[in-house]
Amino acid sequence: MNGRMDGKVAVVTGGASGIGRACAERLAQEGADIVIADLQDERGQEAAGAVKALGRRANFVRTDTSEGADCEALADAAVREFGKIDVLVAAAGISHALYESGGEPRAPQASREDSYLINKPAEYWEKVLNVNLTGVMLTDCAVARKMIDVGNGGSIINIASGAAKIPIPGAADYCVSKAGVWMLTKTLALELAAHGIRVNAIGPGFIETPMTESMRSDETRVQQLLAGIPMGRLGQPQDIANTALFLASDESSYFTGEILFPDGGLFTG
Ligand SMILES: NC(=O)c1ccc[n+]([C@@H]2O[C@H](COP(=O)([O-])OP(=O)(O)OC[C@H]3O[C@@H](n4cnc5c(N)ncnc54)[C@H](O)[C@@H]3O)[C@@H](O)[C@H]2O)c1
């Protein structure tokens, strides 16, 4: 089916890579114009180019979503360029404090216990919470204010994680940030429902993106992981993009405050 997003404008944070980029392209394939927001200029421009190649309008706005002023400037730029925002996919995120998307994989830690909370610098915790939770809140609010001004409602989709419900030793900061995104989604859904703005979240399983690259380079870990995924395969960015398309489109018009877990059964039970 094509044209499910005809006439719509979508802002996608983290749109330069992985899940965000796949969401941007999927929404564009269905007719949306796209604003890509990301920290990374070159990859962001490239993603905007890919959307244009699909025949849609696109621009890139360099944004650090953990900075309120950047999020306001992003929302302003989107409305200036395209007149409104119908959809936000908030996908910008990091897996740990030192993660750089598309960068050199980090050397493995000497032991897993090194990454336990009792051994982690407090700044690492703050960094992950700032980007993954505060950044999503700042982006959601900046975009929601524009949606309210325009008065057409809208759909906000926050990318959480299966880690929002399953604790992972060594990743307490990440798990807490994603559990926070889940609760943020539910609370904002109630606050924004009267404006016709729906707020939902996606909790992906293990998806093949730069974020999981270092883990995927270890064949033993991949086999262990696959053994825990009932559907027997890793997820693709497209799996998440299709879920985002559903939540962005009118097909999900009675959904708000929900989280969907496309994870091949990994976090079920
Ligand atoms: N890959 C997975 O298995 C998986 C699973 C569950 C949830 N997620 C979540 O999906 C989202 C996307 O991750 P991905 O796997 O596509 O990784 P990715 O590294 O491919 O993409 C993340 C993007 O976010 C951008 N970004 C990071 N910090 C930013 C900031 N402060 N401001 C603006 N942009 C910023 C990066 O530059 C990058 O383009 C993240 O929120 C991640 O936590 C991923």
Side-chain angles (χ1 to χ4, degrees), residues 13-248:
T13 75
S17 180
I19 288 171
R21 179 162 170 170
C23 289
E25 291 183 25
R26 189 71 191 94
L27 294 173
Q29 281 164 359
E30 295 288 336
D33 293 326
I34 308 288
V35 179
I36 303 271
D38 206 286
L39 272 179
Q40 299 194 31
D41 286 284
E42 209 177 310
R43 296 171 81 208
Q45 299 285 5
E46 220 178 88
V51 168
K52 286 180 189 160
L54 293 167
R56 303 311 317 165
R57 295 186 296 167
N59 69 3
F60 167 69
V61 181
R62 193 203 172 274
T63 311
D64 179 347
T65 53
S66 64
E67 296 290 338
D70 278 22
C71 295
E72 296 298 332
L74 165 65
D76 284 343
V79 172
R80 204 168 44 243
E81 179 84 7
F82 297 118
K84 60 172 183 167
I85 305 169
D86 300 293
V87 173
L88 166 67
V89 180
I94 53 178
S95 48
H96 54 79
L98 304 179
Y99 174 70
E100 274 178 43
S101 179
E104 285 298 306
R106 199 175 49 133
Q109 271 164 321
S111 77
R112 200 173 192 205
E113 282 73 19
D114 289 345
S115 59
Y116 282 10
L117 215 43
I118 50 170
N119 300 320
K120 241 184 217 185
E123 310 86 82
Y124 285 19
W125 169 276
E126 282 164 18
K127 170 84 187 197
V128 173
L129 270 287
N130 272 342
V131 175
N132 287 5
L133 178 55
T134 305
V136 172
M137 179 276 292
L138 291 170
T139 322
D140 284 1
C141 290
V143 168
R145 283 191 279 269
K146 297 294 182 198
M147 289 173 168
I148 291 168
D149 286 349
V150 172
N152 282 341
S155 174
I156 293 176
I157 299 151
N158 294 327
I159 305 298
S161 168
K165 65 172 175 176
I166 302 292
I168 304 169
D173 41 13
Y174 185 77
C175 295
V176 169
S177 73
K178 294 300 186 177
V181 168
W182 190 357
M183 182 51 78
L184 171 73
T185 300
K186 292 191 270 193
T187 312
L188 271 182
L190 300 186
E191 294 185 359
L192 296 174
H195 298 282
I197 301 170
R198 302 185 294 108
V199 189
N200 293 291
I202 300 175
F206 196 89
I207 313 301
E208 287 194 35
T209 72
M211 189 172 277
T212 55
E213 199 176 324
S214 62
M215 219 185 287
R216 283 183 288 112
S217 64
D218 178 344
E219 193 45 39
T220 314
R221 279 189 88 176
V222 172
Q223 288 313 320
Q224 283 167 349
L225 199 67
L226 283 173
I229 303 175
M231 289 185 73
R233 69 167 176 91
L234 303 181
Q236 297 302 314
Q238 200 63 19
D239 293 313
I240 310 309
N242 285 330
T243 313
L245 172 62
F246 168 67
L247 290 174

